[in-house]
Amino acid sequence: MSILFSLPDGSPAPRPAYPKPTPPTDIFGATDPGEDVRAVVTVQVAMTRDMLAVALDLAAGNCGEHPDRWSVEYIRESVELQLTYENFIQLERSAQGYEEWADIDESIKPYIEAIYRAVDRAYAPKGSTR
């Protein structure tokens, strides 16, 4: 995995083709009235389906509602909020555990499948049948 897309000499490194970024849901951080907000920094993170599922599970897994009832707005805001707390490299490492489907406890597989359905609702490419 390459982190930077600029080579030491300043020339651009080859980049993969990315889907169109989703618009941000909100601004997180120092947003209370009276805060001396100096800048709003935009960071775009390319994430796999497994990384999105891990972030969503971490952010909303204990909310008491079933993932099939979560709105697209709630899903996207939850993932974005989790990214303010969780390093995306750690999410990538955690996502590798989701790839080991055979090793996941059978009792939680239906819930994880529901998390993936939620991710697909919120982040499926336009025209996708997934």
Side-chain angles (χ1 to χ4, degrees), residues 1-4 51 88-89 92-93:
M1 174 179 84
S2 174
I3 295 180
L4 299 177
M51 290 170 67
F88 72 89
I89 295 172
E92 185 175 44
R93 288 185 187 131

Side-chain angles (χ1 to χ4, degrees), residues 22-29 31 47 52 54-61 63 70-86 91 118-119 121-123:
T22 57
T25 61
D26 207 342
I27 296 174
F28 300 97
T31 57
M47 298 178 67
L52 289 164
V54 167
L56 181 57
D57 189 18
L58 289 170
C63 79
W70 296 342
S71 70
V72 167
E73 294 79 13
Y74 180 81
I75 295 163
R76 288 184 177 178
E77 185 176 347
S78 296
V79 167
E80 290 173 23
L81 182 62
Q82 190 62 33
L83 281 171
T84 68
Y85 296 107
E86 192 84 25
L91 287 174
V119 164
R121 276 195 317 280
Y123 295 102

Side-chain angles (χ1 to χ4, degrees), residues 16-43:
Y18 293 119
K20 182 179 177 184
T22 57
T25 61
D26 207 342
I27 296 174
F28 300 97
T31 57
D32 290 332
E35 296 265 2
D36 181 22
V37 176
R38 203 51 75 106
V40 175
V41 178
T42 301
V43 177

